[in-house]
Amino acid sequence: MPAEPLGQLRHERVDHRFKALPPDADGLTVAELAAERRSLFTGGFTTPVLALSAESVEHNLDLLQTYSERHGLVFAPHGKTSMSPQLFARQLERGAWGITVAVPHQARVCRAHGIQRIFLANEVVDPAALRWLAGELDRDPDFRFVCYADSVRGVELMDRALTDAGARRPVEVVVELGAGDGARTGARTEAECAAVADAIAATTTLKLVGVAGYEGEVPDADGDRVRAWLRRLVALAGAFDRDGRFADSPDVVISAGGSAWFDAVADVFAEIPALSRPVLKLLRSGAYVSHDDGHYRHLTPFNRVPDEGALQPAFRLWAQVVSRPGPGQAFLNAGKRDAAYDLDLPEAQVVRDARTGEIRPADGIEISGLSDQHGWVRTTPEADLEVGDWVGMGLSHPCTSFDKWQLIPVVEADGTVTDFIRTFF
Amino acid sequence: MPAEPLGQLRHERVDHRFKALPPDADGLTVAELAAERRSLFTGGFTTPVLALSAESVEHNLDLLQTYSERHGLVFAPHGKTSMSPQLFARQLERGAWGITVAVPHQARVCRAHGIQRIFLANEVVDPAALRWLAGELDRDPDFRFVCYADSVRGVELMDRALTDAGARRPVEVVVELGAGDGARTGARTEAECAAVADAIAATTTLKLVGVAGYEGEVPDADGDRVRAWLRRLVALAGAFDRDGRFADSPDVVISAGGSAWFDAVADVFAEIPALSRPVLKLLRSGAYVSHDDGHYRHLTPFNRVPDEGALQPAFRLWAQVVSRPGPGQAFLNAGKRDAAYDLDLPEAQVVRDARTGEIRPADGIEISGLSDQHGWVRTTPEADLEVGDWVGMGLSHPCTSFDKWQLIPVVEADGTVTDFIRTFF
């Protein structure tokens, strides 16, 4: 199918498919509802509702793009985090090279919304996905797609599937170097990487264009160990280049970089020597777009390089107190269906009073657990919290927050909803 | 908006919105694709793909309906589990009284698909949701809706919101009795329940129709403690009835029953004496529809009453090996985005060989962790597992499995896909 213009998403109808959207907006288009500039608090939204800060998203989008440019990195933000074509478009408008994805389905979502450069940070050995890919590459000569290979067998399976599919344009691949013994995917040794490269060279369906890996899985990661592994990756690219392995490629792709070590990536990639052709130093961080109030608050490299800026947590999950059965307990109407819970529980930050609409700090209020549809709240005697109040929470882990919401209000600091972000998981 | 005929879901187009669906089916309707009776394995589905067993779902739907009837229970299966109007319809066809939901958004999904009886197992104090509800009740005199109240303040907020909304038909409420100190929602004492009932009686917008609670949260639950709490619930209904509190109601609703203790509910509800009006003994179990290979495999009451039948696990998540970096490790292309991980990790059950298509037991293969988009696999020397193989996994916890998939293939034992289940989370 041809790509949909992104604007089509704004013509989608608001209805029961999208939780938290105002029931009285049923049948309006997303654009019409956004134009009404309703209040998140009094505009008919139902609880629980996840809100994305307009200002913080804007800030974060700008910050990591300028960070990348300052360090000579090409940016392909990981799209798996938000799976939102609207955010992808804003990343590309700011100069991102393309979008990184994890699985072929995510590449399909990108293609359906006109993304022309996709970096798929995994080996793809699924014949049905490779058949689709071959069709996309044939249909659109301007579409650039790069994925991983980390095993000779993987290369053989890719080659067979692409041959069976009648692929005409070779698929670009980078050899994945694993981040250490016990780490995630990726060939463990340089010798294995060379064997994979040999296997690629023996096909006509694949073309070697670089090397890649994920420093976030370096065992017992610290700055030294991560840099040491990144230097191995860079050295591998140099060795491949000296061996003439990139002869068919217009450039050499060297890619790393999640959301916890992009400072180390910037440092080590700055040392990359000149190779036989231009080097694409490709950074893939994705979680920065919303940042968070937990996991990445602790891990962000900006804690180490504060003079380069700071990301802002952009999510706030609002839920309503539906029960206050005793002095130490309260229950919210948001649970595992609504909030990330894999790394940390939500953090109660503010309370919006049901009677006055005033917002106060969530003193003495702690989220102690989540059921499917309930948040368990522990309160100390100082807590001022009653049935009907809204609790605003920070979340930990953007990837498991976005995926629980299909249409997310974008909210200005005063509570005005100005836009909606559609996600496709 | 008027309810959509359920058949509309079969006219929805298959496209990039639905992961795992065959790329070459893009643009077909769900009905057209189902009519092709493709193979899950060779019909163009991409991995990972969650499959729902046609036979097991049918078996489970029948089993709990006949269980309910045998024990004189009225069945309102919890819809939060699947959020699938097609499964709701099949539950109703078999005689279910209505559908239970957890939050107003789920009630909206039900109403959009023509559900006429909804039991919302929570207090609802959200003015926007209550305004919507008042509209639905006014618009359709045949729509029956019952929700919880567990606090005087909650009753006051409901009354104010319904009054502000100009509600004409009273909302039916049941008083929720908490399952003990430290349990989840629900008033903790009979005296508090009576105060809530008094508050309800003082309004014109609410009507008391019964009592309810959730035995699954009885602290340190065992058969005796659960039965003791259920007897408290039944006694509360009796006391309310003697006090003439159900004078305005056509029946008395007494509701309990998740998926771990419905045998105890059946036992205790069998002892309910005659009241002043007919008693609706309302069971709300929901997880049975797919059952599972973990949490509920251990907890199901059928383990205690095997002569009453046995549920069958209906989910199998298929993922592909994308990396085999060492003799003890492999990685699948399914992770937290695809599989439940809140109670147990997926259980590797079978391997489908990439070369031969043969399916063998997953000997020596264990899922040891999940990243966002990867499954970590630990293998022993006996494991026969290569890049490209598919691994079929059982899941634990239906509620966090359904919610990761929006269009789920229904698959017969031989792998033929005969239908698709749409979900709305």
Side-chain angles (χ1 to χ4, degrees):
Chain A
M1 301 226 121
E4 286 180 23
L6 201 59
Q8 281 303 110
L9 292 177
R10 293 179 58 80
H11 299 303
E12 196 164 25
R13 298 279 165 192
V14 172
D15 62 19
H16 62 273
R17 290 171 301 161
F18 305 114
K19 59 183 181 177
L21 274 281
D24 69 357
D26 215 19
L28 294 183
T29 67
V30 169
E32 288 165 349
L33 181 58
E36 292 186 2
R37 294 178 62 83
R38 296 191 183 195
S39 162
L40 184 73
F41 304 112
T42 60
F45 292 85
T46 59
T47 52
V49 55
L50 180 67
L52 199 52
S53 159
E55 297 86 354
S56 295
V57 168
E58 187 80 6
H59 169 87
N60 294 344
L61 288 172
D62 286 342
L63 182 63
L64 220 61
Q65 187 63 43
T66 56
Y67 181 92
S68 302
E69 288 165 7
R70 188 183 318 126
H71 292 280
L73 302 169
V74 160
F75 194 27
H78 213 314
K80 68 153 183 174
T81 300
S82 74
M83 283 310 295
S84 163
Q86 292 153 293
L87 290 175
F88 299 168
R90 291 170 68 182
Q91 291 168 321
L92 294 168
E93 281 163 18
R94 280 167 176 75
W97 173 88
I99 298 296
T100 297
V101 297
V103 289
H105 168 254
Q106 296 174 346
R108 285 185 69 200
V109 173
C110 286
R111 289 299 290 163
H113 294 92
I115 306 296
Q116 287 293 73
R117 292 199 194 112
I118 296 174
F119 188 87
L120 196 158
N122 262 312
E123 191 165 81
V124 179
V125 291
D126 186 327
L130 289 166
R131 186 174 306 118
W132 167 80
L133 174 64
E136 286 294 298
L137 287 168
D138 272 1
R139 197 173 58 71
D140 181 354
D142 295 327
F143 170 38
R144 186 169 186 190
F145 176 91
V146 180
C147 71
Y148 285 7
D150 83 346
S151 64
V152 171
R153 180 177 161 102
V155 169
E156 291 168 355
L157 290 172
M158 290 176 79
D159 180 46
R160 192 182 321 154
L162 289 167
T163 301
D164 289 349
R168 280 177 291 191
R169 192 143 69 89
V171 172
E172 297 183 36
V173 289
V174 291
V175 173
E176 185 190 9
L177 176 67
D181 282 339
R184 214 162 66 183
T185 56
R188 294 298 187 244
T189 67
E190 281 72 2
E192 288 172 282
C193 288
V196 175
D198 287 342
I200 292 166
T203 73
T204 56
T205 55
L206 302 175
K207 178 166 73 176
L208 183 69
V209 301
V211 298
Y214 179 43
E215 77 295 336
E217 293 289 353
V218 167
D220 306 312
D222 63 19
D224 289 343
R225 288 195 187 89
V226 166
R227 282 175 177 78
W229 177 81
L230 287 164
R231 291 197 181 97
R232 273 185 67 198
L233 183 69
V234 167
L236 179 66
F240 276 12
D241 190 54
R242 282 191 300 280
D243 294 345
R245 293 187 183 277
F246 300 127
D248 296 333
S249 180
D251 46 25
V252 176
V253 178
I254 306 180
S255 177
S259 294
W261 293 105
F262 51 75
D263 56 336
V265 173
D267 289 350
V268 175
F269 281 14
E271 305 162 2
I272 294 176
L275 299 183
S276 66
R277 54 213 69 222
V279 177
L280 219 60
K281 304 174 184 181
L282 197 146
L283 180 72
R284 305 191 306 270
S285 317
Y288 79 101
V289 64
S290 69
H291 197 49
D292 76 7
D293 280 296
H295 190 67
Y296 288 109
R297 180 171 65 194
H298 300 299
L299 292 187
T300 178
F302 288 115
N303 293 338
R304 293 184 290 265
V305 290
D307 52 314
E308 298 217 47
L311 294 168
Q312 298 174 0
F315 277 132
R316 182 159 276 174
L317 175 64
W318 290 98
Q320 192 172 31
V321 179
V322 291
S323 182
R324 187 83 163 101
Q329 274 194 305
F331 291 90
L332 304 175
N333 60 359
K336 292 179 188 172
R337 255 42 187 296
D338 312 295
Y341 54 87
D342 54 325
L343 300 177
D344 302 284
L345 289 172
E347 173 187 84
Q349 297 178 328
V350 292
V351 174
R352 185 176 187 277
D353 192 286
R355 295 184 200 266
T356 66
E358 283 178 319
I359 293 180
R360 57 181 178 262
D363 295 332
I365 296 169
E366 185 193 9
I367 311 300
S368 61
L370 295 178
S371 302
D372 291 344
Q373 309 275 172
H374 293 88
W376 294 62
V377 179
R378 217 157 25 207
T379 59
T380 63
E382 66 171 327
D384 181 5
L385 190 67
E386 296 297 334
V387 169
D389 291 346
W390 288 23
V391 176
M393 292 168 278
L395 301 178
S396 179
H397 199 185
C399 299
T400 48
S401 301
F402 273 109
D403 72 354
K404 296 178 173 65
W405 297 85
Q406 296 185 41
L407 193 60
I408 305 173
V410 178
V411 182
E412 293 184 347
D414 69 354
T416 305
V417 176
T418 57
D419 200 0
F420 296 87
I421 291 296
R422 182 75 158 93
T423 66
F424 293 93
F425 287 99
Chain B
M1 303 226 120
E4 285 179 25
L6 202 60
Q8 282 304 110
L9 293 177
R10 294 180 57 80
H11 298 303
E12 196 164 27
R13 297 278 164 193
V14 172
D15 63 18
H16 61 274
R17 292 171 299 161
F18 304 115
K19 60 183 180 178
L21 275 279
D24 69 358
D26 215 19
L28 293 184
T29 66
V30 169
E32 288 164 350
L33 181 58
E36 292 186 1
R37 296 179 61 84
R38 295 192 184 195
S39 161
L40 184 73
F41 304 112
T42 59
F45 292 85
T46 60
T47 50
V49 56
L50 180 66
L52 199 51
S53 157
E55 296 86 354
S56 295
V57 168
E58 187 80 5
H59 169 86
N60 294 344
L61 288 172
D62 286 342
L63 181 63
L64 220 61
Q65 187 62 42
T66 55
Y67 181 93
S68 301
E69 287 165 9
R70 186 181 322 128
H71 292 280
L73 302 170
V74 160
F75 194 28
H78 212 314
K80 69 153 183 174
T81 301
S82 75
M83 284 310 294
S84 164
Q86 292 152 293
L87 290 175
F88 298 169
R90 291 170 68 182
Q91 291 168 321
L92 295 168
E93 281 164 18
R94 280 168 176 73
W97 173 89
I99 299 295
T100 296
V101 297
V103 289
H105 167 255
Q106 297 174 345
R108 285 186 68 200
V109 172
C110 286
R111 289 300 289 163
H113 295 93
I115 306 295
Q116 288 293 72
R117 293 198 193 113
I118 296 174
F119 188 87
L120 196 158
N122 262 312
E123 191 165 80
V124 179
V125 292
D126 185 328
L130 289 165
R131 185 175 308 116
W132 167 80
L133 174 64
E136 286 293 300
L137 287 167
D138 272 2
R139 197 173 59 70
D140 182 355
D142 296 326
F143 170 38
R144 186 168 187 189
F145 176 91
V146 180
C147 71
Y148 284 6
D150 82 346
S151 65
V152 170
R153 180 177 162 101
V155 168
E156 290 168 356
L157 290 171
M158 289 176 81
D159 180 46
R160 191 184 319 154
L162 289 167
T163 302
D164 289 351
R168 282 177 288 191
R169 192 143 69 91
V171 172
E172 297 183 36
V173 288
V174 291
V175 173
E176 185 190 8
L177 176 67
D181 282 338
R184 214 162 66 183
T185 58
R188 293 299 187 243
T189 66
E190 281 71 3
E192 289 173 281
C193 288
V196 175
D198 288 343
I200 293 165
T203 73
T204 57
T205 56
L206 302 175
K207 178 166 74 175
L208 183 69
V209 301
V211 298
Y214 179 42
E215 78 295 335
E217 293 289 352
V218 166
D220 305 313
D222 63 19
D224 288 344
R225 289 194 186 88
V226 166
R227 283 176 176 78
W229 176 81
L230 287 164
R231 291 198 180 94
R232 273 184 68 198
L233 183 70
V234 167
L236 179 67
F240 277 11
D241 189 56
R242 281 191 301 281
D243 294 345
R245 291 186 184 277
F246 301 128
D248 297 335
S249 180
D251 45 27
V252 176
V253 177
I254 306 180
S255 176
S259 294
W261 293 106
F262 51 75
D263 57 336
V265 173
D267 289 351
V268 175
F269 281 15
E271 305 162 2
I272 295 175
L275 299 182
S276 67
R277 55 212 69 221
V279 177
L280 220 60
K281 304 174 183 179
L282 198 146
L283 180 72
R284 306 192 304 272
S285 318
Y288 79 101
V289 64
S290 68
H291 195 52
D292 75 7
D293 279 296
H295 190 66
Y296 288 109
R297 179 172 62 194
H298 299 300
L299 293 186
T300 179
F302 288 114
N303 292 339
R304 294 184 291 266
V305 289
D307 52 315
E308 298 217 47
L311 293 168
Q312 298 174 0
F315 277 132
R316 181 160 277 175
L317 175 65
W318 290 98
Q320 191 172 31
V321 179
V322 291
S323 182
R324 186 84 164 99
Q329 274 194 305
F331 290 90
L332 304 176
N333 60 358
K336 292 179 189 172
R337 254 48 186 291
D338 312 295
Y341 54 86
D342 54 325
L343 301 178
D344 302 284
L345 289 172
E347 174 186 85
Q349 296 178 328
V350 292
V351 174
R352 184 175 188 279
D353 191 285
R355 295 184 200 267
T356 65
E358 281 178 319
I359 294 179
R360 56 180 177 261
D363 294 333
I365 296 169
E366 185 192 9
I367 312 298
S368 61
L370 295 177
S371 301
D372 291 346
Q373 309 276 170
H374 293 88
W376 295 61
V377 179
R378 219 162 19 212
T379 58
T380 63
E382 67 170 327
D384 181 5
L385 190 68
E386 296 297 333
V387 168
D389 292 345
W390 287 23
V391 176
M393 293 168 277
L395 301 178
S396 178
H397 198 184
C399 299
T400 49
S401 301
F402 273 110
D403 71 354
K404 295 177 174 66
W405 297 87
Q406 296 185 41
L407 193 59
I408 304 172
V410 178
V411 182
E412 293 184 345
D414 68 356
T416 304
V417 176
T418 56
D419 200 0
F420 296 88
I421 292 296
R422 182 78 158 93
T423 66
F424 294 93
F425 287 98

